[in-house]
Amino acid sequence: MATPEEAYKRIIPLDFGSVQTVPDSFVWPQASDGVQSGDGLTIPIIDLMDPNAPQLITEACETWGIFRLKGHGIATKLMEDMESECERLFSLPTDQKMKALRSPGGRMIGYGIAPIQSLFSTTMWHEGFTIMGSAIDHARLLWPNDYQGFCDKIDDYQKQMKALAEKLMRILFKALNIPVEEVNWFDDPTNSSGCSLALQLNSYPPCPDPTRTLGLAPHTDTSIVTLLQAQTSGLQVFKDGVGWFAVQPLPDALIVNLGDFTRILSNGRFISVLHRVVVKPIQRYSAAYFFRPPMDFAVSPLLSKDLGPGQVPRFRCVTAKEYSDLKAKHLDEAFSLIEN
Ligand SMILES: C=C1C[C@]23C[C@@]1(O)CC[C@H]2[C@@]12CCC[C@@](C)(C(=O)O1)[C@H]2[C@@H]3C(=O)O
Ligand SMILES: O=C(O)CCC(=O)C(=O)O
Ligand SMILES: [Fe+2]
């Protein structure tokens, strides 16, 4: 059992600027597992302005659980600003970033290692900054005299991402025969128990030996849908029968992946895609917006008015909180614990 000091140390990212080699505690033997070039296979590219977009999105959700989205309406300038803010934040000196460190045992907000790190004994080549709602409290600690610009951009970004996520959710719910009117948090998926929407800024520092370590270990997201902005490659998804498969980012496109709540709501029809991040000799940033229901929302395949002929619910009903707690303890096993 780790002492409180040891537990606390484990939430502090490595001072990556000071290392010349990959320390043993960062070595993931699976990091260099073959990545398929995928003869003829490619992650779908969908234009939201295309009249067939709902149909194409539905197919992508059934076959991949991930797609690249163009025509999403998020301004290029806002996406560029977000990349610059990531750079501004993560290039701060380590002791400055440490002022905004996530508090151990507290809410999962602020600077620190990936929350899933606690489930792995090997460390990930990653540092992150998690925002739920306003970033002001942590931004003030990072830039005491100059935090407003960061907060304004974060607010604008979250507002636009939320609107886009709601648009996508309407498409998914329609495909699943879930009446949106019955989901009373639809226009405001926050509740008194706190905000459940989250923006995660990820930094994968330049790595001296990229084949030996991983930026993020394989995981699925605890979301309905995650909207990801990344300018450079590094994200890989696992496809049954194929293996690890690289997702190439496209200029101006967002990467949309489904999370576990959509797998439950769709009774397993839509894929909650397993993904991981490999690192490079160059710096990489990404911003992931997690669209999640409020924690007291009951997630169940039975929200659908039509499961399909002969279909029975594969998962029991769970609140978003109950599932998130299971996931935080059991990661991939969480599904088997709610299977009927
Ligand atoms: C909203 C959330 C999803 C997340 C846990 C969190 O509370 C905040 C960070 C998110 C993140 C980002 C990196 C990968 C991930 C698995 C993790 O460790 O933290 C996801 C979490 C998730 O989807 O479960
Ligand atoms: O950085 C990436 O490409 C993916 C990040 C991710 O999977 C996450 O934040 O959950
Ligand atoms: Fe993820």
Side-chain angles (χ1 to χ4, degrees), residues 2 28 53 83 87 90 157 172 212 222 254 283 302:
W28 292 79
E83 178 90 8
E87 189 176 353
F90 291 110
Y157 193 81
L172 300 180
R212 298 182 74 216
T222 318
L254 288 168
Q283 171 71 51
L302 289 171

Side-chain angles (χ1 to χ4, degrees), residues 2-82:
T3 63
E5 288 74 26
E6 282 164 349
Y8 192 72
K9 264 192 209 140
R10 281 185 55 82
I11 68 169
I12 303 174
L14 179 71
D15 182 2
F16 289 98
S18 66
V19 290
Q20 308 294 317
T21 54
V22 172
D24 286 350
S25 55
F26 284 74
V27 176
W28 292 79
Q30 329 70 318
S32 46
D33 285 356
V35 173
Q36 308 307 315
S37 58
D39 300 324
L41 275 179
T42 160
I43 309 283
I45 302 171
I46 300 171
D47 186 339
L48 197 52
M49 307 299 276
D50 180 337
N52 286 327
Q55 176 61 28
L56 297 171
I57 289 175
T58 306
E59 283 165 17
C61 293
E62 288 171 335
T63 45
W64 284 97
I66 187 164
F67 54 93
R68 291 169 288 177
L69 187 69
K70 299 196 306 187
H72 45 64
I74 309 289
T76 309
K77 169 83 170 66
L78 186 59
M79 292 172 66
E80 285 169 357
D81 284 353
M82 188 49 57

Side-chain angles (χ1 to χ4, degrees), residues 191-300:
N191 66 2
S192 49
S193 62
C195 198
S196 62
L197 303 168
L199 176 63
Q200 169 81 11
L201 308 182
N202 294 305
S203 162
Y204 309 93
C207 180
D209 197 351
T211 55
R212 298 182 74 216
T213 188
L214 282 177
L216 275 185
H219 67 278
T220 58
D221 291 346
T222 318
S223 63
I224 289 181
V225 77
T226 306
L227 307 179
L228 180 78
Q229 146 172 2
Q231 280 181 1
T232 51
S233 60
L235 177 66
Q236 298 179 348
V237 293
F238 190 83
K239 182 145 177 68
D240 282 339
V242 177
W244 288 107
F245 194 87
V247 182
Q248 294 307 336
L250 296 174
D252 291 336
L254 288 168
I255 297 168
V256 179
N257 70 269
L258 302 184
D260 298 347
F261 293 128
T262 304
R263 179 169 173 203
I264 302 170
L265 289 168
S266 70
N267 205 26
R269 179 176 152 203
F270 290 168
I271 295 171
S272 168
V273 71
L274 185 67
H275 53 286
R276 67 178 190 178
V277 179
V278 294
V279 293
K280 304 269 148 108
I282 52 162
Q283 171 71 51
R284 177 174 185 270
Y285 298 113
S286 72
Y289 181 78
F290 296 88
F291 186 77
R292 312 192 299 169
M295 287 296 157
D296 60 0
F297 181 67
V299 188
S300 157

Side-chain angles (χ1 to χ4, degrees), residues 116-132:
I116 40 162
Q117 180 64 71
S118 58
L119 298 168
F120 296 90
S121 51
T122 309
T123 318
M124 300 170 208
W125 199 265
H126 170 272
E127 52 181 337
F129 188 81
T130 312
I131 300 161
M132 293 191 189

